[in-house]
Amino acid sequence: MSRLLGSRGKNLWITPPFYVDYGENIHFGDGCEVNMNCTFFDDNIIEIGDGCLIAPNVQIYTAFHPTKAAQRQGEKKTDGSFEFCTAISDPVKIGKNVWIGGGAVILPGVTIGDDTVIGAGSVVTRGIPAGKVARGNLCRIIRDNL
């Protein structure tokens, strides 16, 4: 794990399989657990605070593509080939003591505040403040996490 990840705190537990793009852009705090079958596309920084729990099948993405096909595909070459799709990336930041439920998807540019719970199966498209419980597709705050 020390060779794969950008940094990690004490007592990190990752249950395989664990899929990454690069690994070196992922930074964990102390006392984190990542359950099986998680995928982290770390084309940009993924920062995960102390005490986070990440359930099975969670996906964290930092990369995305332009919505316009011409911007996404590039120009075709004379031999018929074309350049690989253009990708853009934004970092993801997950605060301390966050619990992300199974099958949740965290999209590029999202920040999740400390002590927040993200419900299973949620698709998080925008930031969620600290101390909230949020769930759904699209993920919305449902109450304070008191």
Side-chain angles (χ1 to χ4, degrees):
M1 280 298 125
S2 294
R3 290 188 319 202
L4 175 67
L5 300 173
S7 65
R8 67 182 179 115
K10 298 175 185 173
N11 300 318
L12 172 63
W13 183 268
I14 298 177
T15 302
F18 177 59
Y19 302 100
V20 302
D21 241 1
Y22 300 99
E24 65 190 26
N25 295 318
I26 303 170
H27 303 275
F28 283 99
D30 295 334
C32 294
E33 181 179 346
V34 178
N35 215 316
M36 67 187 84
N37 208 37
C38 289
T39 301
F40 292 9
F41 280 173
D42 63 316
D43 289 35
N44 204 315
I45 299 296
I46 297 174
E47 183 179 324
I48 299 169
D50 297 343
C52 287
L53 300 176
I54 299 175
N57 300 306
V58 168
Q59 301 168 61
I60 300 176
Y61 297 112
T62 63
F64 59 102
H65 303 286
T67 56
K68 295 184 179 182
Q71 294 172 342
R72 191 172 50 244
Q73 296 172 351
E75 294 185 33
K76 290 186 180 178
K77 298 178 183 177
T78 55
D79 65 359
S81 66
F82 59 92
E83 295 179 16
F84 188 73
C85 295
T86 300
I88 307 164
S89 68
D90 280 330
V92 170
K93 182 175 182 181
I94 298 171
K96 296 178 181 178
N97 303 311
V98 171
W99 174 22
I100 301 175
V105 178
I106 313 298
L107 294 183
V110 165
T111 295
I112 298 172
D114 296 347
D115 302 308
T116 288
V117 175
I118 303 297
S122 294
V123 177
V124 185
T125 61
R126 59 184 168 185
I128 305 291
K132 303 295 180 187
V133 175
R135 68 174 185 222
N137 183 359
L138 301 170
C139 187
R140 295 195 186 340
I141 297 167
I142 59 167
R143 64 179 170 85
D144 288 337
N145 191 20
L146 302 175

